[in-house]
Amino acid sequence: MDSTMVTSSSSWGQALLRISPYTFSAIGIAISIGVSVLGAAWGIYITGSSLIGAAIKAPRITSKNLIRCYLSPLTVFAVIKLWAVAATFVIFCEAVAIYGVIVAIILQTKLDSVPKSKMYDPESMRAGYAIFASGIIVGFANLVCGLCVGIIGSSCALSDAQNSTLFVKILVIEIFGSALGLFGVIVGIIMSAQATWPTK
Amino acid sequence: MYGFEAMTFNIHGGYLEAIVRGYRSGLLTAADYNNLCQCETLDDIKMHLSATEYGTYLQNEPSPLHTTTIVEKCTLKLVDEYKHMLTQATEPLSTFLEYITYGHMIDNVVLIVTGTLHERDVQELLEKCHPLGMFDSIATLAVAQNMRELYRLVLVDTPLAPYFSECITSEDLDDMNIEIMRNTLYKAYLEDFYRFCQKLGGATAELMSDLLAFEADRRAVNITINSIGTELTREDRRKLYSNFGLLYPYGHEELAICEDIDQVRGAMEKYPPYQSIFSKLSYGESQMLDKAFYEEEVKRLCLSFEQQFHYAVFFAYMRLREQEIRNLMWISECVAQNQKSRVHDSVVFIF
């Protein structure tokens, strides 16, 4: 049934209400993974370019700020220590992408089929909107988180190359930054928990 | 947009910024300078320098070293680093890096023209030119008789061409005119560089404005002091000052009418940043002014490294290297002439 407030007046309102809740859900899932990965990639390249340049003078920093080997032509110039140490900035940025994947998988399990007669029920609309909102929350929170972690990572690589006592201190700042993504994931999962489609 | 450069700067400039910061960590420290100041001979200096980054450049030099050899090899290192950065740079960083060398080009042009005037050999002059300011047709400068020919034959193809519009006259070149030409060119170059940095915007514009304004003001003071007692009229002197900087325009009006050092000091002490420089000098003394200006410049250049994601670090690094080479030259000369007591007169510590 159409909502009473939108009977015949606004055609835009009608149009919005007639969009299937599955559309909103699908877009939400796409945004959650797509925009998170954008944030992670942005962060990785910001850190990576500074890291490669700084490692030429101070090769020891590469093992702490592990770089992915997709940048292998440049790693020929920097002396890369092949045994890797955990907790690097690239892994922090990668975590952002992983949040996006996890939430996307959770969201897609919440998609149920409903019969056509119930497709525009308030319950279905609510479920559709909940998945959409969850996707947007996670996507954009991870976008800014990835950016933040990347910029801090770049500054950390440069300062670690000059003075190795600074690494742990800047890592602490970076942990606070990655909490932003975590907040997004938490709220997104809470939102998606109420995505219950009407039973047949 | 100022403040958000961190998001896109690293696409083109991240690698080179990291490289230049790596180079900066190789600048000589106060401990190195203390070691060098205690050397007895030039061979001691060579030994100390071989432990620093200059090692590979100096190790092949045969034993009776000259001070000019030391300075030449150190400049060679600077040139190698500069070329490495220039080849990796994209626009607009590559234009920015080229702008840094135009000052040396101007100095080279003036060197050759003056040398030709005093009938020196062209080859000898070419060897004395600064390597960063070389361009292809530089040797033909020796042929020119007046400024119009200078422009038409050689300089129209160089990046210095737009700076010549203000100083093309048909007068013959003599010492006074050449100095005026040098200062007019430098003024045009500084203003062009300033405009270019403003166009780049963001942190680069802010930091470079400050550094270039200091440069312009320092040149204004030097022009004033050097032209006291010469035939340069007040209007001509005024024309040589750049039109930006802290002193523009009211400071320039006061400086143009100064007739001795104390009047200059009076004019400059109205500006707080320069008042601290002049307060270090006692009345009537001007020899330490150069060193005071260099110290202030080095302080500002080091501060530019505090911020990330801008181009002023490249400019600052080149200037700091040049200051280091000046220090090394002074130390070498003092050691070679056995005047070690004066060695601290002119060495500016960077760290």
Side-chain angles (χ1 to χ4, degrees):
Chain A
M1 299 294 133
D2 291 335
S3 164
T4 48
M5 68 174 178
V6 201
T7 40
S8 56
S9 47
S10 141
S11 60
W12 281 110
Q14 284 276 1
L16 274 175
L17 275 185
R18 287 319 242 179
I19 299 178
S20 155
Y22 291 121
T23 313
F24 279 114
S25 316
I27 293 179
I29 296 173
I31 290 181
S32 108
I33 180 66
V35 177
S36 305
V37 168
L38 174 66
W42 206 330
I44 290 179
Y45 95 68
I46 292 180
T47 303
S49 48
S50 293
L51 183 60
I52 286 289
I56 290 185
K57 246 317 162 49
R60 60 181 167 73
I61 68 173
T62 54
S63 64
K64 282 199 270 180
N65 302 286
L66 166 67
I67 197 76
R68 291 294 165 117
C69 290
Y70 300 122
L71 298 166
S72 40
L74 294 172
T75 65
V76 170
F77 298 97
V79 175
I80 296 272
K81 292 195 168 80
L82 292 178
W83 50 92
V85 178
T88 71
F89 288 102
V90 175
I91 286 187
F92 272 116
C93 286
E94 197 76 2
V96 159
I98 291 175
Y99 294 155
V101 172
I102 290 174
V103 172
I105 291 176
I106 289 176
L107 290 180
Q108 64 88 22
T109 60
K110 301 256 176 208
L111 274 180
D112 285 337
S113 294
V114 292
K116 193 155 176 230
S117 59
K118 294 209 174 172
M119 196 155 80
Y120 293 100
D121 270 0
E123 274 297 306
S124 327
M125 302 298 274
R126 185 181 95 138
Y129 293 151
I131 297 179
F132 180 59
S134 176
I136 290 189
I137 290 169
V138 169
F140 286 97
N142 286 337
L143 172 66
V144 292
C145 174
L147 259 179
C148 168
V149 167
I151 294 175
I152 300 177
S154 158
S155 305
C156 179
L158 293 178
S159 50
D160 185 32
Q162 310 272 337
N163 179 357
S164 49
T165 60
L166 291 174
F167 179 72
V168 174
K169 298 176 181 151
I170 303 188
L171 201 64
V172 170
I173 303 176
E174 203 252 346
I175 290 174
F176 283 111
S178 61
L180 298 173
L182 203 55
F183 296 157
V185 169
I186 291 171
V187 175
I189 292 188
I190 292 175
M191 277 297 294
S192 72
Q194 53 179 305
T196 47
W197 300 85
T199 49
K200 297 190 181 31
Chain B
M1 189 172 24
Y2 193 10
F4 289 89
E5 299 145 330
M7 304 206 296
T8 50
F9 181 86
N10 272 6
I11 303 177
H12 293 296
Y15 173 69
L16 281 175
E17 180 179 4
I19 297 253
V20 87
R21 281 174 189 268
Y23 286 154
R24 171 199 178 258
S25 66
L27 286 171
L28 298 176
T29 62
D32 290 322
Y33 283 125
N34 281 332
N35 282 342
L36 287 171
C37 289
Q38 286 165 6
C39 288
E40 296 291 333
T41 68
L42 290 180
D43 285 325
D44 281 344
I45 290 188
K46 175 178 161 185
M47 189 183 72
H48 275 118
L49 284 179
S50 60
T52 67
E53 306 230 320
Y54 288 109
T56 48
Y57 287 84
L58 281 176
Q59 69 193 15
N60 291 329
E61 292 303 308
S63 206
L65 270 184
H66 294 287
T67 57
T68 48
T69 321
I70 294 181
V71 173
E72 215 179 282
K73 294 295 168 203
C74 295
T75 315
L76 193 58
K77 177 175 193 296
L78 172 60
V79 173
D80 282 344
E81 287 174 352
Y82 174 77
K83 291 217 166 90
H84 172 76
M85 289 196 290
L86 188 59
T87 51
Q88 303 263 7
T90 62
E91 288 292 331
L93 180 55
S94 50
T95 315
F96 186 89
L97 286 174
E98 284 171 9
Y99 263 99
I100 299 179
T101 59
Y102 293 167
H104 291 296
M105 263 189 219
I106 295 174
D107 288 337
N108 285 351
V109 165
V110 169
L111 181 72
I112 292 193
V113 169
T114 320
T116 312
L117 198 64
H118 293 284
E119 318 218 343
R120 300 249 194 287
D121 181 37
V122 174
Q123 283 307 111
E124 190 190 316
L125 292 171
L126 282 178
E127 279 169 27
K128 288 201 185 152
C129 284
H130 197 284
L132 279 178
M134 296 298 271
F135 51 93
D136 284 336
S137 41
I138 194 169
T140 37
L141 282 172
V143 175
Q145 302 289 345
N146 61 30
M147 288 192 209
R148 202 176 283 282
E149 271 185 34
L150 202 62
Y151 178 71
R152 202 170 47 82
L153 288 179
V154 182
L155 291 166
V156 69
D157 291 324
T158 65
L160 298 179
Y163 306 150
F164 261 82
S165 56
E166 288 180 33
C167 64
I168 298 186
T169 62
S170 295
E171 294 173 14
D172 277 343
L173 298 165
D174 63 23
D175 278 323
M176 177 71 142
N177 286 342
I178 292 178
E179 274 308 303
I180 294 184
M181 178 177 84
R182 180 212 296 267
N183 284 312
T184 320
L185 283 177
Y186 213 92
K187 166 191 168 174
Y189 155 62
L190 276 182
E191 286 170 8
D192 192 26
F193 199 1
Y194 185 78
R195 271 194 302 269
F196 177 70
C197 291
Q198 294 293 97
K199 230 175 17 169
L200 288 177
T204 306
E206 179 177 332
L207 289 160
M208 287 304 296
S209 304
D210 182 57
L211 292 173
L212 290 176
F214 182 77
E215 176 79 14
D217 292 338
R218 180 174 69 163
R219 288 192 78 89
V221 171
N222 282 336
I223 290 175
T224 312
I225 293 183
N226 290 338
S227 62
I228 291 175
T230 66
E231 312 157 344
L232 196 64
T233 64
R234 290 178 182 181
E235 290 75 30
D236 281 342
R237 197 197 279 180
R238 185 88 208 281
K239 273 197 291 199
L240 294 177
Y241 298 148
S242 308
N243 42 2
F244 63 96
L246 213 55
L247 291 176
Y248 170 77
Y250 307 114
H252 288 165
E253 282 175 27
E254 286 189 32
L255 277 181
I257 59 177
C258 285
E259 293 299 331
D260 66 44
I261 306 267
D262 289 325
Q263 286 183 352
V264 171
R265 174 198 291 271
M268 297 295 285
E269 279 185 344
K270 300 197 179 89
Y271 297 88
Y274 303 132
Q275 191 230 354
S276 55
I277 297 178
F278 278 83
S279 64
K280 285 191 213 161
L281 313 170
S282 48
Y283 272 96
E285 179 192 304
S286 71
Q287 301 97 308
M288 303 304 281
L289 186 61
D290 273 345
K291 183 175 181 194
F293 269 124
Y294 281 138
E295 279 174 359
E296 177 71 20
E297 185 188 9
V298 161
K299 201 165 61 146
R300 288 179 189 220
L301 293 173
C302 285
L303 281 178
S304 75
F305 283 92
E306 301 290 314
Q307 201 171 341
Q308 208 181 339
F309 308 120
H310 60 87
Y311 292 148
V313 285
F314 296 96
F315 178 80
Y317 172 70
M318 302 291 290
R319 284 297 166 104
L320 285 173
R321 266 280 178 224
E322 287 168 20
Q323 177 62 42
E324 183 176 280
I325 293 176
R326 273 196 290 269
N327 286 348
L328 284 174
M329 182 170 74
W330 180 262
I331 293 177
S332 310
E333 290 286 346
C334 284
V335 164
Q337 294 174 17
N338 252 327
Q339 297 213 18
K340 295 202 16 211
S341 53
R342 295 195 55 199
V343 87
H344 284 285
D345 279 350
S346 186
V347 173
V348 178
F349 291 151
I350 298 181
F351 300 122

